Amino acid sequence: MTGNKITDTKLELLKKVAVVEFTLDNLPERENPFRPRGYNLASMIAMKKCVAAGIKTRAVTVLYSDTISEENLESVYCWLCENNISEWELLRFYPVGRAAKLVKLTPSNSEYLNTMKFLRGLRGFTGVFFQHSLRILEGALKCPAVIDSIGILPDGQVTACAWAIDENCCPFKEFRLGKLPEDDLDEILDNARKISEYSERPKFCRTIAYIEKVHKGGKVI
């Protein structure tokens, strides 16, 4: 969630969940053209309020050209440790949704791997871990689409991967599995898991592979 307008009532509700995530790509003194003004500061204030209320709190940082520098990541990590944020998850950049036209911000695989090595060397209060698609790069995981996770959009459309959306926030055609409440979720999952391309679980991120294929073909997502 965003850090905007965290009230005492919301804090009481948040105590009912296992962990609350806030996006923090950089500290406020570093300009970020891809986040609204005050976005990161609002997340920082909200995280401090959650920790004070005894809520397990996690920061999430998306790795792209404006955030992936060691200087930026180390400054974020130091702040998290100083403020007792228990977890920090690093995410791969997906040029999907409103970021569909920002492919140029995508780091190379070698940049991701070098950054993960650097982050694993950080020592402090806050635990560091990586999104599945980053761990796939290391060969540690296989694609979790359908078998371990799915996406359900606000209009009820069920997708094989929550990241597989175009610039209009509609699912890529190849990833559509069904629609709620018209279709039964258990039936959607049972049918999808019988499809070999999902059950065999490739050693790469299906969504990233699809995006790369589309862009190489000169098409617009």
Side-chain angles (χ1 to χ4, degrees):
M1 61 185 295
T2 68
N4 192 34
K5 298 180 180 178
I6 295 294
T7 63
D8 290 341
T9 300
K10 288 181 180 178
L11 287 172
E12 288 301 314
L13 289 172
L14 292 175
K15 289 179 181 179
K16 301 178 183 293
V17 301
V19 60
V20 182
E21 295 183 349
F22 296 93
T23 299
L24 180 64
D25 283 349
N26 52 269
L27 301 187
E29 55 265 27
R30 185 185 182 94
E31 185 176 351
N32 187 324
F34 305 106
R35 296 292 185 190
R37 179 175 293 180
Y39 182 94
N40 291 304
L41 178 59
S43 289
M44 293 163 73
I45 292 171
M47 281 190 277
K48 292 172 74 171
K49 288 184 176 181
C50 285
V51 170
I55 299 167
K56 185 176 181 180
T57 306
R58 175 187 301 158
V60 175
T61 298
V62 182
L63 297 174
Y64 52 98
S65 59
D66 280 55
T67 66
I68 201 169
S69 73
E70 292 183 2
E71 178 186 4
N72 177 60
L73 295 172
E74 189 167 15
S75 67
V76 171
Y77 185 70
C78 287
W79 185 89
L80 297 175
C81 292
E82 290 169 0
N83 290 276
N84 299 316
I85 309 303
S86 59
E87 296 179 347
W88 187 26
E89 183 179 15
L90 287 302
L91 274 60
R92 189 170 181 170
F93 177 72
Y94 284 80
V96 299
R98 63 189 180 90
K101 297 179 180 179
L102 300 176
V103 178
K104 62 182 181 180
L105 300 182
T106 309
S108 65
N109 288 352
S110 61
E111 286 178 306
Y112 279 131
L113 292 170
N114 287 335
T115 298
M116 293 169 73
K117 181 178 180 180
F118 166 74
L119 290 167
R120 284 198 169 101
L122 297 176
R123 295 291 180 268
F125 173 84
T126 305
V128 178
F129 66 104
F130 302 98
Q131 180 194 36
H132 69 272
S133 57
L134 288 174
R135 296 179 65 197
I136 287 173
L137 281 178
E138 296 182 307
L141 292 178
K142 295 181 180 180
C143 182
V146 173
I147 304 303
D148 292 329
S149 66
I150 58 170
I152 301 178
L153 303 185
D155 65 356
Q157 292 192 78
V158 181
T159 68
C161 174
W163 296 94
I165 55 174
D166 63 22
E167 58 187 3
N168 298 310
C169 291
C170 295
F172 297 146
K173 182 178 179 181
E174 289 81 350
F175 288 76
R176 294 174 186 168
L177 301 178
K179 191 173 187 297
L180 304 176
E182 292 88 338
D183 302 320
D184 179 77
L185 183 58
D186 287 332
E187 290 183 8
I188 291 175
L189 293 176
D190 287 341
N191 291 333
R193 286 168 178 161
K194 294 174 184 177
I195 300 173
S196 60
E197 58 186 302
Y198 294 120
S199 60
E200 292 172 2
R201 304 190 65 182
K203 296 181 180 180
F204 57 83
C205 174
R206 289 174 51 82
T207 300
I208 292 294
Y210 175 82
I211 294 168
E212 291 176 346
K213 178 181 177 181
V214 169
H215 282 283
K216 286 180 180 178
K219 301 176 183 178
V220 178
I221 294 178

